[in-house]
Amino acid sequence: MDIGHIFQGHALNAVDAKGRVSVPASFRTLIEKRALANSLDPENALKIGEHKSGDCLWALDAVASAEIDIQLAASVADLPAAERMDKLEELAMDAHGGLEKVTYDSAGRMVLSPMLREFGQIEDLAFFVGAGLTFQIWNPRIAMERLPETSRVRKPLAFLLKERGIVL
């Protein structure tokens, strides 16, 4: 899988009462580039679920999803054949079973379901942050509470909140 470019950067976007929020334009551009580079359909869709930390949401495009499958298969390659398939199924279920397919329109608007909003504790703002292969969607308040003090993501988030008149 040709990962090519990685998700980097951040954005703070409003979430309305129905869960509508816009995927940052730079992320949408990257999703399309990565899909085309891998001869995948550049459909406007993500797979989103609870991050393993339980602190935020985890968002994967088609390339990230395929790469994770490759990494999972590699992680069990040394197991005896009799155990390999069961372990791979267990890992794949954990990685993909909690994900929800979410489509977005040409302007990047998507709807986070009530379940996703609950899992990510998303309220009226969503903080998108690139995490390389994937990206994360945080409630900004929780990000400020749980990201390490040394995280270089905290300063841009604090600045974006301050621009909106919010001080945490």
Side-chain angles (χ1 to χ4, degrees):
M1 187 69 28
D2 178 18
I3 297 170
H5 305 327
I6 60 171
F7 289 102
Q8 55 189 358
H10 53 269
L12 183 63
N13 292 341
V15 181
D16 73 12
K18 293 182 180 180
R20 291 179 292 218
V21 63
S22 292
V23 178
S26 62
F27 289 10
R28 294 192 316 267
T29 300
L30 182 59
I31 290 165
E32 182 176 357
K33 280 182 184 178
R34 286 172 28 148
L36 293 173
N38 286 281
S39 302
L40 298 170
D41 180 10
E43 66 175 337
N44 292 351
L46 296 165
K47 293 178 184 173
I48 302 175
E50 182 179 27
H51 187 271
K52 65 183 176 182
S53 70
D55 292 337
C56 63
L57 296 175
W58 187 44
L60 296 80
D61 65 350
V63 172
S65 185
E67 179 61 26
I68 286 169
D69 285 339
I70 291 167
Q71 291 176 12
L72 292 175
S75 75
V76 299
D78 293 338
L79 291 176
E83 297 172 34
R84 190 176 312 131
M85 190 55 80
D86 287 342
K87 186 62 177 177
L88 183 57
E89 184 178 280
E90 176 189 324
L91 293 171
M93 182 179 68
D94 184 57
H96 297 296
L99 299 175
E100 189 175 302
K101 183 177 180 177
V102 179
T103 59
Y104 56 90
D105 65 18
S106 60
R109 292 177 300 245
M110 67 176 173
V111 177
L112 294 176
S113 70
M115 181 178 71
L116 288 175
R117 290 194 315 270
E118 182 175 318
F119 290 172
Q121 303 173 66
I122 304 297
E123 296 168 345
D124 60 340
L125 291 172
F127 181 58
F128 290 79
V129 61
L133 181 62
T134 64
F135 63 91
Q136 298 172 3
I137 307 170
W138 287 80
N139 172 319
R141 178 185 50 77
I142 293 169
M144 290 301 284
E145 289 172 4
R146 304 219 176 119
L147 289 172
E149 290 287 329
T150 57
S151 172
R152 287 184 275 173
V153 175
R154 291 172 60 92
K155 275 188 174 179
L157 174 55
F159 178 84
L160 294 171
L161 289 167
K162 182 178 165 187
E163 278 191 324
R164 291 178 182 253
I166 302 168
V167 179
L168 297 179

